[in-house]
Amino acid sequence: MSKKDPIDKKGTNKGLTRRGFLTTAIAGTVVGAGMAVGLKPKEAKAREVGRLSSEVPPGKLDDYYGFWSGGHSGEIRIIGVPSMRELKRIPVFNFDCTSGWGITDYSKKVLGLDKKKREYVVGDTHHVHLSYNNGTYDGKYAYVNDKANARLARIRIDYLETDAIVELPHCQGTHGIFPMRTRLPGKPYYVFCNSEFRNPLPNDGRDLDDPKKYGALHTAVDGEKMEVAWQVLVSGNMDLCATDYKGLFSMATCYNSEEGVVLAEMTRADRDWAVFFNVWEIEKAVKNGEYFTIGNSKVPVVDGRRGSKGEGRFTLYVPVPKSPHGVNVDPTGRYAICSGKLSPTCTVIDLELVEKAFKGKVKPEDCVVAQPEVGLGPLHTVFDGRGNAYTSIFIDSQVTKWNIKKAIRQYKGENVNPIVHKIDVHYQVGHVNATMSETKEADGKWLVSLNKFSKDRFLPVGPRHPDNDQLIDISGRKMRLVHDGSVWPEPHDCVIVRRDIIQPRVKRVYDANDPKFEMYRKWAKEDGVKLGSENKVIRKGRKVRVYMTSLAPVFGLTEFRVKKGDTVTVIVTNNNKEEDVSHGFCLSLYDINFGIDPGATESVTFKADKPGVYWYYCTWFCHALHLEMRGRMIVEP
Ligand code: CUK
Ligand code: CUA
């Protein structure tokens, strides 16, 4: 790396990376080659090292929407790229007073908290993916897993709000998920989910001490209906998930082929595998009734375990070295790349050969076409659309850029080095992702390295540090570290999407098919109230519905009366239609706090169990007289 590189001056990347000596030698050659084809030294230099600007000046917008998982928080976060500014948090499996998620009637319905069943109040989000068509994002939905309580959630992109959550039967540790990358005419659109932990099937007290009888399931969820379609019983623990670009396969990396329950047992074997699922063959079997069910769930299950009749028909086990983690398909759709975790290699699997292997024409092990050595602890791989792969290296704290075609040539015995460049990251990187990397439109501009450790990179804030999401320019031959971004733990993964694909609405509109309004319309009809324009208290026995408008700076009702013991539903409509004018409804000493977006209606149901006077007030600074925007709930004894 030249002394003129500004990165050198900042001292963040001091020329030679630990293993960079190898690529430095090649660097000179490329600059030279650039000059040979008539480039001025400056242009050649620009090609050599990325030179994109990450500055987004005041008043300007980011080029990309980043969808980050929130990890422990159970949410999704939207980050502008390249500014790395946090723009929004979308509550999914968690509670949030900004919107009232987990508090309002609609959100409780989505979360399943309205029923008298077991209630989950925590979540653990790892993998966010958007819905696709024709190999790229179609801007309809985002999906995210809950590893904690085995669920899949869907977020509608028009409002960037969670609209459905489905529980996956018999699963624990729902980890890798991936939607189909294309929609096939007349076929359902599936999102595939891996269960990482094996458990007794059904998990009702049987087989407690007989781990050989535990199982793990690969689940297909209909991404439009948000219903579980079928499941496949698999050998080993499944980790990450991916799909091909033709709509034929889903796939999972599997570790713990030993099917052990403690670490020493889980890591004994030198080889584990990647499992490929023959989606439409499974679908056919299910349609023909060739399935069984587990416990009292009605979901069809087929057996795809090793040595079962389904192996070779439903599933294909391709051996890969020791405990693989990530699996990623390159933008050409030809190669699936598994990262070794306990092996310093990536394994490149040719999906055309996988197709042949399902037809019995080649052996599963012959689908492997390359195995480049990328560093210690490779986890996830992403792409620039120019034939290069970028693998996160956990133990080395590096990102390795390597060339897929060269890796294939090397595997065939040619004396070529597929490694292009390595860059240090700070520190212990998990996922990396690049702009549009998970689509055929990968554009090779920015890469984000989601580092688990940040140690000395930020002001210390106690024993728990923020994570460090680093922005890296990948437009040149060499990578260039541009920005350190602190982020509260622990986003596992992200996708970075061109901004023209995401078209959210700035105010809520009464669409006929908006499920949020369905509930209110039904109630208003029952009560003969004009929703959004009338302020009325309707009593039916001990049930009271309070219809209230809000328009800055007043609520339509400055007081309402109920009796102790009533079940009260307060329905608030925000009649401000201007952008940005949200209201909130916070009811003092009743543990109620939710927001109402412009044009929206929200409601809350509670028991008026305490007599007295309780002020409700607006929680959004909506007007100069915002503090005056309030009223009294009078609860008669
Ligand atoms: S996992 Cu966390 S670094 Cu849950 Cu995608 Cu690989
Ligand atoms: Cu409405 Cu403040």
CSV table of all heavy atoms in Angstrom, one decimal, residues 126-127 147 175 239-240 325 379-380 430-431 452 490 492-493, ligand 1:
chain,number,residue,atom,x,y,z
A,126,HIS,N,-31.6,-13.0,14.0
A,126,HIS,CA,-30.2,-13.1,13.4
A,126,HIS,C,-30.2,-12.8,11.9
A,126,HIS,O,-29.3,-12.1,11.4
A,126,HIS,CB,-29.7,-14.5,13.5
A,126,HIS,CG,-29.2,-14.9,14.9
A,126,HIS,ND1,-28.1,-15.6,15.1
A,126,HIS,CD2,-29.8,-14.7,16.1
A,126,HIS,CE1,-27.9,-15.7,16.4
A,126,HIS,NE2,-28.9,-15.2,17.0
A,127,HIS,N,-31.2,-13.2,11.2
A,127,HIS,CA,-31.1,-13.2,9.7
A,127,HIS,C,-32.3,-12.5,9.1
A,127,HIS,O,-33.4,-13.0,9.2
A,127,HIS,CB,-30.9,-14.6,9.1
A,127,HIS,CG,-29.6,-15.2,9.6
A,127,HIS,ND1,-29.6,-16.3,10.5
A,127,HIS,CD2,-28.3,-14.9,9.5
A,127,HIS,CE1,-28.4,-16.6,10.8
A,127,HIS,NE2,-27.6,-15.8,10.2
A,147,LYS,N,-34.5,-16.9,16.8
A,147,LYS,CA,-33.8,-18.1,17.3
A,147,LYS,C,-34.3,-18.6,18.7
A,147,LYS,O,-34.3,-19.7,19.0
A,147,LYS,CB,-32.3,-17.9,17.3
A,147,LYS,CG,-31.5,-19.1,17.7
A,147,LYS,CD,-30.0,-19.0,17.3
A,147,LYS,CE,-29.3,-20.2,18.0
A,147,LYS,NZ,-27.9,-20.2,17.7
A,175,HIS,N,-32.6,-20.8,13.1
A,175,HIS,CA,-31.4,-20.0,12.8
A,175,HIS,C,-31.4,-19.4,11.4
A,175,HIS,O,-31.9,-18.4,11.1
A,175,HIS,CB,-30.2,-20.7,13.2
A,175,HIS,CG,-28.9,-19.9,13.3
A,175,HIS,ND1,-27.7,-20.3,12.9
A,175,HIS,CD2,-28.8,-18.6,13.6
A,175,HIS,CE1,-26.8,-19.3,13.0
A,175,HIS,NE2,-27.5,-18.3,13.5
A,239,ASP,N,-27.4,-25.1,10.3
A,239,ASP,CA,-26.9,-23.7,10.7
A,239,ASP,C,-27.5,-22.7,9.7
A,239,ASP,O,-28.6,-22.3,9.8
A,239,ASP,CB,-25.4,-23.7,10.7
A,239,ASP,CG,-24.8,-22.6,11.6
A,239,ASP,OD1,-25.6,-21.9,12.1
A,239,ASP,OD2,-23.6,-22.6,11.7
A,240,LEU,N,-26.7,-22.3,8.7
A,240,LEU,CA,-27.2,-21.2,7.8
A,240,LEU,C,-27.9,-21.8,6.6
A,240,LEU,O,-27.8,-23.0,6.4
A,240,LEU,CB,-26.0,-20.4,7.3
A,240,LEU,CG,-25.6,-19.2,8.1
A,240,LEU,CD1,-26.6,-18.1,8.1
A,240,LEU,CD2,-25.2,-19.6,9.5
A,325,HIS,N,-20.2,-23.1,8.6
A,325,HIS,CA,-21.1,-22.1,9.2
A,325,HIS,C,-21.9,-21.5,8.0
A,325,HIS,O,-23.0,-22.0,7.7
A,325,HIS,CB,-20.3,-21.1,10.0
A,325,HIS,CG,-21.2,-20.1,10.7
A,325,HIS,ND1,-22.2,-20.5,11.5
A,325,HIS,CD2,-21.2,-18.7,10.6
A,325,HIS,CE1,-22.8,-19.4,12.0
A,325,HIS,NE2,-22.2,-18.3,11.5
A,379,LEU,N,-16.4,-17.5,8.2
A,379,LEU,CA,-17.8,-17.6,8.6
A,379,LEU,C,-18.8,-17.4,7.5
A,379,LEU,O,-19.6,-18.2,7.2
A,379,LEU,CB,-18.1,-16.6,9.8
A,379,LEU,CG,-17.4,-17.0,11.1
A,379,LEU,CD1,-17.9,-16.0,12.2
A,379,LEU,CD2,-17.6,-18.4,11.6
A,380,HIS,N,-18.7,-16.2,6.8
A,380,HIS,CA,-19.7,-15.9,5.8
A,380,HIS,C,-19.0,-15.3,4.6
A,380,HIS,O,-18.0,-14.6,4.7
A,380,HIS,CB,-20.7,-14.9,6.4
A,380,HIS,CG,-21.4,-15.4,7.6
A,380,HIS,ND1,-22.5,-16.3,7.5
A,380,HIS,CD2,-21.2,-15.3,8.9
A,380,HIS,CE1,-22.9,-16.6,8.7
A,380,HIS,NE2,-22.2,-16.0,9.6
A,430,GLY,N,-18.2,-11.3,12.4
A,430,GLY,CA,-19.2,-12.4,12.2
A,430,GLY,C,-19.6,-12.4,10.8
A,430,GLY,O,-18.9,-12.8,9.9
A,431,HIS,N,-20.7,-11.8,10.5
A,431,HIS,CA,-21.2,-11.6,9.1
A,431,HIS,C,-20.5,-10.5,8.5
A,431,HIS,O,-20.1,-9.5,9.1
A,431,HIS,CB,-22.7,-11.3,9.1
A,431,HIS,CG,-23.5,-12.6,9.1
A,431,HIS,ND1,-23.9,-13.2,7.9
A,431,HIS,CD2,-24.1,-13.3,10.1
A,431,HIS,CE1,-24.7,-14.3,8.3
A,431,HIS,NE2,-24.8,-14.3,9.6
A,452,LYS,N,-17.9,-8.4,16.2
A,452,LYS,CA,-18.5,-8.7,17.5
A,452,LYS,C,-17.8,-8.0,18.6
A,452,LYS,O,-18.4,-7.6,19.6
A,452,LYS,CB,-18.4,-10.2,17.8
A,452,LYS,CG,-18.8,-11.1,16.7
A,452,LYS,CD,-20.3,-11.2,16.6
A,452,LYS,CE,-20.7,-12.2,15.6
A,452,LYS,NZ,-22.2,-12.1,15.3
A,490,GLU,N,-26.7,-7.4,19.4
A,490,GLU,CA,-25.7,-7.8,18.5
A,490,GLU,C,-26.4,-8.1,17.2
A,490,GLU,O,-27.0,-9.2,17.1
A,490,GLU,CB,-25.0,-9.1,19.0
A,490,GLU,CG,-24.1,-9.7,18.1
A,490,GLU,CD,-23.6,-11.1,18.5
A,490,GLU,OE1,-23.9,-11.6,19.6
A,490,GLU,OE2,-23.0,-11.7,17.7
A,492,HIS,N,-26.6,-9.7,13.9
A,492,HIS,CA,-25.8,-10.8,13.4
A,492,HIS,C,-25.5,-10.6,11.9
A,492,HIS,O,-24.5,-11.0,11.4
A,492,HIS,CB,-26.5,-12.1,13.6
A,492,HIS,CG,-26.3,-12.7,14.9
A,492,HIS,ND1,-25.4,-13.7,15.1
A,492,HIS,CD2,-26.8,-12.4,16.1
A,492,HIS,CE1,-25.4,-14.0,16.4
A,492,HIS,NE2,-26.2,-13.2,17.0
A,493,ASP,N,-26.5,-10.0,11.3
A,493,ASP,CA,-26.5,-10.0,9.8
A,493,ASP,C,-27.2,-8.8,9.3
A,493,ASP,O,-27.9,-8.1,10.0
A,493,ASP,CB,-27.1,-11.3,9.3
A,493,ASP,CG,-26.8,-11.6,7.8
A,493,ASP,OD1,-25.9,-10.9,7.2
A,493,ASP,OD2,-27.5,-12.5,7.2
B,1,CUK,S1,-24.8,-16.4,12.6
B,1,CUK,CU1,-24.0,-14.9,14.0
B,1,CUK,S2,-22.1,-14.6,12.9
B,1,CUK,CU2,-26.6,-16.4,13.7
B,1,CUK,CU3,-25.6,-15.7,10.8
B,1,CUK,CU4,-22.8,-16.3,11.6
